[in-house]
Protein backbone atom coordinates (compact mmCIF):
# COMPACT_ATOMS: atom_id res chain seq x y z
CA UNK A 1 0.00 0.00 0.00
CA UNK A 2 1.20 3.52 -0.79
CA UNK A 3 1.45 5.42 2.49
CA UNK A 4 1.71 9.07 3.37
CA UNK A 5 4.89 9.64 5.40
CA UNK A 6 3.27 12.51 7.29
CA UNK A 7 0.09 10.65 8.24
CA UNK A 8 -1.21 11.71 11.65
CA UNK A 9 -3.51 8.69 11.74
CA UNK A 10 -3.13 5.54 9.72
CA UNK A 11 -5.79 2.85 9.49
CA UNK A 12 -4.38 -0.45 8.31
CA UNK A 13 -6.63 -3.33 7.21
CA UNK A 14 -9.18 -2.34 9.85
CA UNK A 15 -12.19 -4.60 10.40
CA UNK A 16 -14.98 -4.17 12.90
CA UNK A 17 -18.14 -6.18 13.56
CA UNK A 18 -20.99 -5.79 15.99
CA UNK A 19 -21.81 -9.41 16.69
CA UNK A 20 -22.60 -11.01 13.35
CA UNK A 21 -22.81 -7.66 11.56
CA UNK A 22 -19.58 -6.83 9.76
CA UNK A 23 -19.51 -3.02 9.78
CA UNK A 24 -16.00 -2.03 8.63
CA UNK A 25 -14.26 -3.99 5.86
CA UNK A 26 -10.50 -3.72 5.32
CA UNK A 27 -10.22 0.00 5.91
CA UNK A 28 -6.90 1.43 4.74
CA UNK A 29 -6.62 5.17 5.12
CA UNK A 30 -3.92 7.74 5.82
CA UNK A 31 -5.12 10.92 7.50
CA UNK A 32 -2.65 13.72 6.81
CA UNK A 33 -1.39 16.09 9.49
CA UNK A 34 -2.73 19.64 9.81
CA UNK A 35 -5.55 18.84 7.40
CA UNK A 36 -9.28 18.32 7.75
CA UNK A 37 -10.40 14.96 6.45
CA UNK A 38 -14.16 14.80 5.99
CA UNK A 39 -15.92 11.44 5.88
CA UNK A 40 -19.20 11.36 4.01
CA UNK A 41 -21.53 8.56 3.02
CA UNK A 42 -25.02 7.15 3.48
CA UNK A 43 -26.52 6.40 6.87
CA UNK A 44 -25.19 3.15 8.28
CA UNK A 45 -22.07 3.10 6.11
CA UNK A 46 -19.77 2.90 9.14
CA UNK A 47 -18.55 6.50 9.39
CA UNK A 48 -19.17 6.88 13.13
CA UNK A 49 -17.82 3.42 13.83
CA UNK A 50 -14.55 4.32 12.10
CA UNK A 51 -14.31 7.51 14.15
CA UNK A 52 -15.13 5.71 17.38
CA UNK A 53 -12.45 3.11 16.69
CA UNK A 54 -9.89 5.93 16.37
CA UNK A 55 -9.96 6.72 20.09
CA UNK A 56 -10.97 3.19 21.08
CA UNK A 57 -14.57 3.91 22.01
CA UNK A 58 -14.97 0.80 19.86
CA UNK A 59 -12.30 -1.85 19.48
CA UNK A 60 -11.69 -3.20 16.00
CA UNK A 61 -11.19 -6.96 15.96
CA UNK A 62 -8.62 -6.92 13.20
CA UNK A 63 -6.16 -4.44 11.77
CA UNK A 64 -4.26 -1.56 13.28
CA UNK A 65 -4.64 2.13 13.96
CA UNK A 66 -1.44 4.15 14.20
CA UNK A 67 -1.53 7.58 15.83
CA UNK A 68 1.78 9.07 14.76
CA UNK A 69 4.32 6.38 15.61
CA UNK A 70 2.20 4.68 18.26
CA UNK A 71 -0.18 1.83 17.70
CA UNK A 72 -3.46 2.86 19.33
CA UNK A 73 -4.83 -0.66 18.89
CA UNK A 74 -1.97 -2.26 20.86
CA UNK A 75 -3.22 -4.23 23.87
CA UNK A 76 -1.30 -2.11 26.38
CA UNK A 77 -2.38 1.32 25.07
CA UNK A 78 -3.15 3.77 27.86
CA UNK A 79 -6.65 4.84 26.86
CA UNK A 80 -6.65 8.03 28.95
CA UNK A 81 -3.42 9.17 27.31
CA UNK A 82 -4.75 8.28 23.87
CA UNK A 83 -7.90 10.34 24.45
CA UNK A 84 -5.80 13.28 25.61
CA UNK A 85 -4.11 13.23 22.21
CA UNK A 86 -7.26 12.47 20.25
CA UNK A 87 -10.17 14.70 21.30
CA UNK A 88 -13.72 13.92 20.25
CA UNK A 89 -16.86 15.99 19.82
CA UNK A 90 -20.16 14.12 19.64
CA UNK A 91 -23.51 14.83 18.06
CA UNK A 92 -25.21 15.05 21.47
CA UNK A 93 -22.51 17.12 23.24
CA UNK A 94 -22.15 14.63 26.15
CA UNK A 95 -21.81 17.34 28.79
CA UNK A 96 -22.41 16.68 32.48
CA UNK A 97 -25.71 18.42 33.19
CA UNK A 98 -25.13 18.67 36.94
CA UNK A 99 -21.86 20.58 36.42
CA UNK A 100 -21.52 24.17 35.27
CA UNK A 101 -19.62 25.12 32.12
CA UNK A 102 -16.31 25.72 33.91
CA UNK A 103 -16.46 22.38 35.73
CA UNK A 104 -17.34 20.57 32.50
CA UNK A 105 -14.29 22.04 30.79
CA UNK A 106 -11.90 21.52 33.71
CA UNK A 107 -13.03 18.06 34.84
CA UNK A 108 -10.65 16.02 32.69
CA UNK A 109 -7.80 18.50 33.25
CA UNK A 110 -8.16 18.03 37.00
CA UNK A 111 -8.99 14.32 37.13
CA UNK A 112 -6.93 12.95 34.23
CA UNK A 113 -4.14 15.51 34.01
CA UNK A 114 -4.11 16.04 37.82
CA UNK A 115 -3.87 19.78 37.23
CA UNK A 116 -4.57 22.20 40.10
CA UNK A 117 -7.90 24.04 39.96
CA UNK A 118 -6.40 27.51 39.31
CA UNK A 119 -4.27 26.32 36.40
CA UNK A 120 -7.12 24.25 34.93
CA UNK A 121 -9.50 27.22 35.16
CA UNK A 122 -7.00 29.54 33.49
CA UNK A 123 -6.64 27.08 30.61
CA UNK A 124 -10.40 26.62 30.42
CA UNK A 125 -10.96 30.39 30.31
CA UNK A 126 -8.66 30.66 27.30
CA UNK A 127 -10.65 28.01 25.46
CA UNK A 128 -14.05 29.42 26.48
CA UNK A 129 -12.91 32.79 25.22
CA UNK A 130 -11.77 31.20 21.95
CA UNK A 131 -15.19 29.59 21.37
CA UNK A 132 -17.03 32.83 22.27
CA UNK A 133 -18.33 31.76 25.68
CA UNK A 134 -16.51 34.06 28.05
CA UNK A 135 -18.99 35.01 30.78
CA UNK A 136 -20.85 31.69 30.63
CA UNK A 137 -18.61 29.86 33.14
CA UNK A 138 -21.22 29.44 35.86
CA UNK A 139 -24.12 28.46 33.62
CA UNK A 140 -25.38 24.89 33.52
CA UNK A 141 -25.68 23.14 30.13
CA UNK A 142 -29.50 23.21 30.41
CA UNK A 143 -29.37 27.04 30.39
CA UNK A 144 -27.48 27.15 27.09
CA UNK A 145 -28.59 26.78 23.49
CA UNK A 146 -27.55 23.63 21.63
CA UNK A 147 -24.95 25.65 19.74
CA UNK A 148 -23.50 26.99 22.97
CA UNK A 149 -23.47 23.50 24.49
CA UNK A 150 -21.55 22.24 21.48
CA UNK A 151 -19.05 25.09 21.89
CA UNK A 152 -18.54 24.02 25.51
CA UNK A 153 -17.89 20.48 24.29
CA UNK A 154 -15.36 21.79 21.77
CA UNK A 155 -13.67 23.97 24.43
CA UNK A 156 -13.53 20.95 26.74
CA UNK A 157 -11.73 18.90 24.08
CA UNK A 158 -9.37 21.71 23.10
CA UNK A 159 -8.43 22.36 26.74
CA UNK A 160 -6.69 18.98 26.71
CA UNK A 161 -4.48 20.30 23.88
CA UNK A 162 -5.11 17.34 21.60
CA UNK A 163 -3.03 16.67 18.51
CA UNK A 164 -6.07 15.39 16.62
CA UNK A 165 -9.77 16.24 16.84
CA UNK A 166 -12.62 13.95 15.82
CA UNK A 167 -16.06 15.40 15.09
CA UNK A 168 -18.97 12.97 14.86
CA UNK A 169 -21.86 14.79 13.17
CA UNK A 170 -21.26 17.69 15.53
CA UNK A 171 -24.05 19.83 14.08
CA UNK A 172 -26.69 17.18 13.35
CA UNK A 173 -28.57 17.71 16.63
CA UNK A 174 -28.62 21.51 16.36
CA UNK A 175 -31.47 23.75 15.31
CA UNK A 176 -30.77 24.99 11.78
CA UNK A 177 -29.99 28.57 12.86
CA UNK A 178 -27.28 27.33 15.24
CA UNK A 179 -25.45 25.12 12.74
CA UNK A 180 -23.59 27.94 10.99
CA UNK A 181 -21.84 29.24 14.11
CA UNK A 182 -20.53 25.81 15.08
CA UNK A 183 -19.39 25.08 11.51
CA UNK A 184 -17.59 28.44 11.45
CA UNK A 185 -15.82 27.54 14.68
CA UNK A 186 -14.79 24.18 13.20
CA UNK A 187 -13.62 26.00 10.05
CA UNK A 188 -11.44 28.33 12.15
CA UNK A 189 -9.97 25.37 13.97
CA UNK A 190 -9.19 23.73 10.63
CA UNK A 191 -7.50 26.92 9.41
CA UNK A 192 -5.39 27.05 12.57
CA UNK A 193 -3.75 23.81 11.43
CA UNK A 194 -5.49 21.30 13.66
CA UNK A 195 -5.58 17.75 12.31
CA UNK A 196 -9.28 16.90 12.15
CA UNK A 197 -11.41 13.96 11.07
CA UNK A 198 -14.97 15.13 10.56
CA UNK A 199 -17.95 12.88 9.92
CA UNK A 200 -20.53 15.19 8.44
CA UNK A 201 -23.68 15.50 6.38
CA UNK A 202 -22.82 19.17 5.71
CA UNK A 203 -21.64 18.95 2.12
CA UNK A 204 -20.86 22.66 1.82
CA UNK A 205 -18.57 22.46 4.83
CA UNK A 206 -16.93 19.36 3.37
CA UNK A 207 -16.28 21.11 0.07
CA UNK A 208 -15.02 24.34 1.60
CA UNK A 209 -13.01 23.12 4.58
CA UNK A 210 -11.83 19.58 3.85
CA UNK A 211 -8.36 19.04 2.51
CA UNK A 212 -9.33 15.46 1.85
CA UNK A 213 -12.70 13.86 1.35
CA UNK A 214 -13.45 10.19 1.98
CA UNK A 215 -16.64 8.55 0.74
CA UNK A 216 -17.74 5.41 2.58
CA UNK A 217 -20.47 3.01 1.62
CA UNK A 218 -21.43 -0.31 3.22
CA UNK A 219 -18.40 -0.27 5.51
CA UNK A 220 -15.82 0.34 2.79
CA UNK A 221 -13.92 3.34 1.52
CA UNK A 222 -15.19 3.67 -2.02
CA UNK A 223 -13.47 6.88 -3.10
CA UNK A 224 -11.20 9.55 -1.65
CA UNK A 225 -9.37 12.62 -2.83
CA UNK A 226 -9.45 16.42 -2.84
CA UNK A 227 -13.06 17.66 -2.36
CA UNK A 228 -13.36 19.28 -5.78
CA UNK A 229 -12.32 16.04 -7.47
CA UNK A 230 -14.65 13.87 -5.38
CA UNK A 231 -17.63 16.21 -5.78
CA UNK A 232 -17.11 17.16 -9.42
CA UNK A 233 -15.70 13.98 -10.92
CA UNK A 234 -17.17 11.08 -8.93
CA UNK A 235 -15.96 7.83 -10.46
CA UNK A 236 -18.10 5.19 -8.84
CA UNK A 237 -21.85 4.88 -9.46
CA UNK A 238 -22.34 4.61 -5.68
CA UNK A 239 -20.82 8.03 -5.09
CA UNK A 240 -22.67 9.50 -8.07
CA UNK A 241 -25.94 8.17 -6.65
CA UNK A 242 -25.13 9.52 -3.16
CA UNK A 243 -24.25 12.98 -4.48
CA UNK A 244 -27.43 13.07 -6.55
CA UNK A 245 -29.38 12.53 -3.37
CA UNK A 246 -27.61 15.02 -1.12
CA UNK A 247 -26.62 17.92 -3.38
N1 LIG B 1 -23.27 -0.41 19.11
C1 LIG B 1 -23.74 -1.02 18.01
N2 LIG B 1 -24.24 -2.27 18.07
C2 LIG B 1 -24.69 -2.90 16.97
N3 LIG B 1 -24.71 -2.34 15.73
C3 LIG B 1 -24.23 -1.10 15.61
C4 LIG B 1 -23.74 -0.36 16.74
N4 LIG B 1 -23.33 0.86 16.30
C5 LIG B 1 -23.58 0.88 14.97
N5 LIG B 1 -24.11 -0.29 14.56
C6 LIG B 1 -24.47 -0.65 13.17
O1 LIG B 1 -23.30 -0.49 12.40
C7 LIG B 1 -23.59 0.07 11.13
C8 LIG B 1 -22.76 1.32 10.92
O2 LIG B 1 -23.18 2.30 11.84
P1 LIG B 1 -22.49 3.73 11.93
O3 LIG B 1 -23.19 4.49 13.02
O4 LIG B 1 -21.03 3.56 12.04
O5 LIG B 1 -22.85 4.33 10.53
P2 LIG B 1 -22.86 5.84 10.03
O6 LIG B 1 -22.35 5.83 8.65
O7 LIG B 1 -22.13 6.70 11.01
O8 LIG B 1 -24.40 6.19 10.03
P3 LIG B 1 -25.17 7.59 10.32
O9 LIG B 1 -24.78 8.54 9.21
O10 LIG B 1 -26.62 7.22 10.24
O11 LIG B 1 -24.76 8.03 11.68
C9 LIG B 1 -25.09 0.30 11.10
O12 LIG B 1 -25.68 -0.80 10.46
C10 LIG B 1 -25.48 0.32 12.55
O13 LIG B 1 -26.79 -0.12 12.74
Amino acid sequence: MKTDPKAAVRFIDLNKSYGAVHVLHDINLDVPEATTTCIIGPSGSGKSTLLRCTNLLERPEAGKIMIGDEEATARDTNIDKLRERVGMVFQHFCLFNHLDVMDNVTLALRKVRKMGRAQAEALAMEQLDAVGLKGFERRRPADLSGGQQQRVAIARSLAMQPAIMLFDEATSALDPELVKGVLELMGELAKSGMTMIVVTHEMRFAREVAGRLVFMDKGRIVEQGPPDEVFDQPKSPRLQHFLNQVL
Side-chain angles (χ1 to χ4, degrees), residues 18-19 21-24 41-50 52 58 91 168-169 199 201 216:
Y18 293 112
V21 186
H22 196 163
V23 175
L24 296 178
S43 182
S45 55
K47 307 179 297 294
S48 294
T49 302
L50 181 62
R52 292 169 67 83
E58 301 291 349
Q91 184 178 356
D168 192 6
E169 296 185 28
V199 169
H201 293 287
M216 287 183 70

Side-chain angles (χ1 to χ4, degrees), residues 140-190:
R140 295 280 174 101
D143 301 326
L144 300 176
S145 73
Q148 289 168 334
Q149 290 186 54
Q150 195 56 298
R151 286 163 185 274
V152 175
I154 293 172
R156 173 180 60 181
S157 279
L158 292 177
M160 299 296 278
Q161 296 167 311
I164 297 157
M165 286 284 290
L166 312 176
F167 289 86
D168 192 6
E169 296 185 28
T171 57
S172 296
L174 299 180
D175 290 335
E177 72 273 20
L178 302 176
V179 168
K180 193 166 164 250
V182 173
L183 290 180
E184 277 171 4
L185 178 59
M186 290 166 63
E188 283 165 25
L189 196 57

Side-chain angles (χ1 to χ4, degrees), residues 84 102-125 127 155-161:
E84 280 186 52
M102 178 57 85
D103 286 346
N104 265 286
V105 177
T106 56
L107 188 67
L109 290 171
R110 291 188 287 117
K111 302 290 177 206
V112 178
R113 281 267 177 91
K114 312 286 180 212
M115 203 178 265
R117 183 177 282 275
Q119 195 189 353
E121 292 198 349
L123 203 55
M125 274 311 299
Q127 293 306 332
R156 173 180 60 181
S157 279
L158 292 177
M160 299 296 278
Q161 296 167 311

Side-chain angles (χ1 to χ4, degrees), residues 16 23 29 55 76 79 106 118 147 160 165 184 223 227 245-246:
K16 167 75 187 166
V23 175
L29 176 67
N55 68 355
D76 59 352
I79 291 188
T106 56
M160 299 296 278
M165 286 284 290
E184 277 171 4
E223 245 175 87
Q245 286 184 317
V246 296

